[in-house]
Amino acid sequence: MIFVKKHFTFQNRYFYRNEYMPLTRFRLPFVLTLCFCLSSLAVWAQVQESADEAFQQAAEHHRPVLLVFAGSDWCAPCVHFEKKILAEHSFQDFAGANLVLLKADFPQRTRQPESLRKQNEALAEKYNPTGIFPYILLLRDNGNVVKILNYRNESPAQFIDEIKPLLLP
């Protein structure tokens, strides 16, 4: 129980009273915070940086891998693709249910761990030898290329419609 001394005015006079204040005032922000935290745990696609984990997860769940070659701190179309497609709720919901996302990032100003840098270079040698950015591929769980996807400033719905026919039944 919390007792609070409150004041109120009536005809320009202050009156004070002791009043029981239930915790309902604190309950609403707590419930809203809890709902926000739980909603962030929804089935959203997590972008993998480890190729081994991504292909293992794809094999376990029988899902294709969407491999994105990007330059996160220097490639403007890559940043645009990240913000407009990968971070969009509708695409996140779709990818969480149907895809495994793998990002091979090649930043210029940000340092990466040596193992991640070597892994991304190996992926680039195999799938993107010409060094095009952003370069988006849909791969089977065994690593075979299904299709090279072109991003042409599409909406998330258009990009999803381009991927849907390529998914396994």
Side-chain angles (χ1 to χ4, degrees):
M1 268 193 224
I2 298 176
F3 286 96
V4 177
K5 195 169 204 171
K6 288 186 140 185
H7 73 275
F8 59 95
T9 58
F10 178 71
Q11 294 179 349
N12 293 329
R13 299 175 111 185
Y14 281 97
F15 294 92
Y16 292 91
R17 68 177 182 207
N18 289 331
E19 177 179 301
Y20 169 72
M21 187 177 82
L23 292 177
T24 54
R25 171 193 265 181
F26 303 107
R27 204 175 297 157
L28 182 62
F30 174 74
V31 169
L32 291 176
T33 304
L34 182 65
C35 289
F36 176 75
C37 292
L38 291 176
S39 70
S40 65
L41 297 175
V43 180
W44 276 24
Q46 181 179 357
V47 178
Q48 300 285 333
E49 289 188 341
S50 169
D52 295 334
E53 289 178 17
F55 283 108
Q56 181 182 5
Q57 184 179 355
E60 287 174 8
H61 299 291
H62 305 291
R63 295 180 183 170
V65 175
L66 186 72
L67 173 58
V68 179
F69 288 95
S72 63
D73 62 0
W74 59 271
C75 173
C78 301
V79 173
H80 191 262
F81 178 76
E82 174 93 25
K83 287 181 181 177
K84 192 169 179 187
I85 302 294
L86 293 181
E88 191 66 35
H89 292 291
S90 59
F91 183 77
Q92 284 286 324
D93 292 339
F94 171 76
N98 300 297
L99 300 171
V100 175
L101 299 177
L102 174 61
K103 184 176 179 183
D105 192 16
F106 292 86
Q108 290 182 351
R109 293 184 290 266
T110 308
R111 294 192 54 90
Q112 287 183 319
E114 188 67 24
S115 60
L116 182 61
R117 188 182 61 76
K118 285 182 179 179
Q119 171 200 283
N120 290 346
E121 287 175 358
L123 286 170
E125 274 184 40
K126 184 173 182 179
Y127 297 110
N128 188 9
T130 57
I132 299 171
F133 292 93
Y135 196 65
I136 307 152
L137 299 110
L138 191 66
L139 308 170
R140 293 279 175 237
D141 56 3
N142 61 4
N144 293 337
V145 177
V146 175
K147 185 173 182 185
I148 298 169
L149 302 167
N150 296 318
Y151 174 64
R152 297 172 299 276
N153 201 15
E154 303 162 306
S155 71
Q158 291 169 327
F159 194 72
I160 290 169
D161 289 340
E162 188 177 347
I163 295 173
K164 274 185 182 177
L166 305 171
L167 299 176
L168 292 173

